[in-house]
Amino acid sequence: MTKTNVLILLGPPGAGKGTQARMLEQKFGLVQLSTGDLLRAAVAAGTDAGKQAKAVMDAGGLVSDEIVLAILRDRMSEPDTARGVILDGFPRTAGQAAALDTLLEEQGMSLGAAISLEVDDAAMVERVAGRYTCAKCGEGYHDSFKTPTVDGVCDACGSTEFKRRADDNAETVGARLSAYHDQTAPLIAYYDGKGALKRVDAMGEIDRIAADLGAIVTEVAA
Ligand code: AMP
């Protein structure tokens, strides 16, 4: 039996991990699994983990491996992950990468590829500080780069409610970029060493980047 494929998207805040993961989910039926989304849900639900995570997230730091791994393990044990998973924002530390290796082994899943979305850091602050999403369907928008066709109405679902993340501001983005370079960027070499790394130029057209990622998904699924 073919092992369930797991793809990892690596890249700094603003690289387009969430946007691309959503597109891969729609195109290939894979399950997008974002630890940022899971943590925001825990914060909103007021769980113990959410309470502990909130201050760290507001400051742009990394939530402890212990909390993130507990949340991830729970989600990975749900049956829909058998369709294949795109990890968006996980792993972010060497400890998380090692724990993921063990988890995949335990669950009979295999790593298809770790894809590094390569971007210019300088452009990331503007990308992140201007972004917002539809509150109903999650479609992503940006103040400068992608506004709805009809002002204030979501192109995808017609909703008029939008939201911005509390941590998507110029001050916090700097801390998030530092956390990425200090703790997450070393994972690029880790996955390269395993022969699992793919690099994608993630500046420029969203559709071209999606096509490059789609080609990788097709290749590793074959
Ligand atoms: P994201 O939505 O991926 O940008 O994540 C938002 C915030 O959630 C990050 O700035 C971290 O504070 C926290 N977070 C998300 N994923 C992780 C992770 N794998 N490890 C530690 N913290 C995380």
Side-chain angles (χ1 to χ4, degrees):
M1 199 180 86
T2 322
K3 282 192 170 184
T4 304
N5 247 318
V6 173
L7 296 159
I8 296 170
L9 293 185
L10 291 168
K17 299 185 295 297
T19 303
Q20 294 296 338
R22 267 170 70 86
M23 292 171 87
L24 291 174
E25 184 172 60
Q26 282 159 12
K27 187 159 181 208
F28 294 94
L30 301 165
V31 175
Q32 174 190 9
L33 207 162
S34 152
T35 43
D37 285 349
L38 293 172
L39 287 165
R40 280 184 286 279
V43 171
T47 64
D48 284 349
K51 283 181 192 142
Q52 289 179 57
K54 186 177 185 314
V56 180
M57 292 170 77
D58 286 346
L62 291 185
V63 175
S64 73
D65 285 357
E66 195 192 348
I67 290 179
V68 174
L69 284 164
I71 283 182
L72 180 90
R73 264 198 211 99
D74 267 9
R75 181 65 185 88
M76 289 283 274
S77 66
E78 287 178 29
D80 63 340
T81 55
R83 301 205 307 258
V85 174
I86 313 158
L87 293 175
D88 154 12
F90 181 93
R92 263 177 155 100
T93 65
Q96 292 178 14
L100 178 65
D101 288 344
T102 309
L103 186 69
L104 296 186
E105 185 73 40
E106 280 167 12
Q107 304 214 343
M109 294 177 150
S110 70
L111 177 63
I115 306 170
S116 168
L117 299 180
E118 314 253 303
V119 291
D120 298 337
D121 250 34
M124 292 305 106
V125 177
E126 192 190 3
R127 270 203 197 178
V128 172
R131 70 187 182 179
Y132 59 98
T133 54
C134 170
K136 192 170 164 212
C137 74
E139 182 74 7
Y141 294 96
H142 191 281
D143 294 329
S144 316
F145 309 133
K146 186 190 167 196
T147 52
T149 314
V150 178
D151 197 24
V153 181
C154 175
D155 293 344
C157 77
S159 167
T160 53
E161 301 284 320
F162 295 87
K163 60 181 183 184
R164 281 175 201 266
R165 280 171 45 174
D167 60 348
D168 277 351
N169 56 70
E171 301 80 63
T172 311
V173 179
R176 288 162 63 199
L177 280 169
S178 300
Y180 174 78
H181 287 292
D182 294 348
Q183 299 188 69
T184 310
L187 301 185
I188 293 173
Y190 177 75
Y191 288 112
D192 201 13
K194 283 174 169 287
L197 185 74
K198 307 274 183 191
R199 294 177 190 271
V200 167
D201 171 7
M203 297 301 292
E205 279 299 305
I206 290 178
D207 288 341
R208 193 270 306 151
I209 300 162
D212 289 356
L213 287 170
I216 294 172
V217 174
T218 307
E219 181 195 325
V220 299

